[in-house]
Amino acid sequence: MNRALPQEVLDQIELEHQHFAAAPQAFFEAWKRGVHIAGAEWFGDGTREGLRRATTKWDLRPKLMMLNDALGVLSSGQRMFLSAMVSFYNAREGGAMLKRCGFEGLSDLGGLDLERRKVIADLTLNYNGW
């Protein structure tokens, strides 16, 4: 017996296929917004020109050593946002940074402003691995 899948299941499969086909570019665009907000000095070659020229997320990798060294002197919001961004690049490093910031769970992201929350939400929605 051959039964066709219900149309709503087929529609959902197609919706997810379309989403995940577009996710890498959407992630990159959200990442660039985050880099712009946080400051280009923490990513890639550390320049605004490097941010402007970036064509892939690899061009804007976080500068982990520099970020770890500066974590203690940044504002709590800067620390949380940068650490959350790093966690998409490297879960272990980002997790350690978040722990140093006192991050205990997703509700701690509630301290971020709307612009930063949108970046983190878009990164989460479109994450497809680094």
Side-chain angles (χ1 to χ4, degrees):
M1 182 159 130
N2 188 5
R3 298 182 110 182
L5 292 172
Q7 187 59 46
E8 60 269 8
V9 172
L10 294 173
D11 291 346
Q12 184 62 35
I13 291 170
E14 180 58 24
L15 181 67
E16 289 193 24
H17 173 74
Q18 289 176 9
H19 171 81
F20 288 110
Q25 184 61 34
F27 180 90
F28 176 59
E29 294 301 323
W31 187 260
K32 281 177 61 174
R33 287 192 343 259
V35 171
H36 178 77
I37 292 166
E41 65 270 20
W42 306 111
F43 300 89
D45 71 4
T47 68
R48 282 190 233 157
E49 180 62 22
L51 171 58
R52 191 188 65 71
R53 282 192 326 262
T55 58
T56 73
K57 61 188 174 188
W58 291 100
D59 297 330
L60 297 173
R61 290 185 305 268
K63 298 169 118 184
L64 295 179
M65 289 179 48
M66 186 175 153
L67 282 164
N68 271 308
D69 288 346
L71 207 58
V73 298
L74 299 172
S75 73
S76 62
Q78 287 175 305
R79 285 194 308 264
M80 185 69 68
F81 184 62
L82 283 164
S83 298
M85 285 190 65
V86 167
S87 70
F88 287 98
Y89 173 72
N90 181 308
R92 181 175 292 138
E93 287 289 330
M97 290 172 68
L98 285 164
K99 188 173 182 177
R100 284 178 56 197
C101 295
F103 180 86
E104 293 184 22
L106 293 175
S107 64
D108 288 335
L109 295 173
L112 298 177
D113 64 17
L114 181 59
E115 186 177 33
R116 286 166 180 78
R117 287 183 191 199
K118 284 182 177 182
V119 167
I120 298 302
D122 288 345
L123 292 174
T124 301
L125 185 62
N126 294 294
Y127 183 72
N128 61 328
W130 197 277

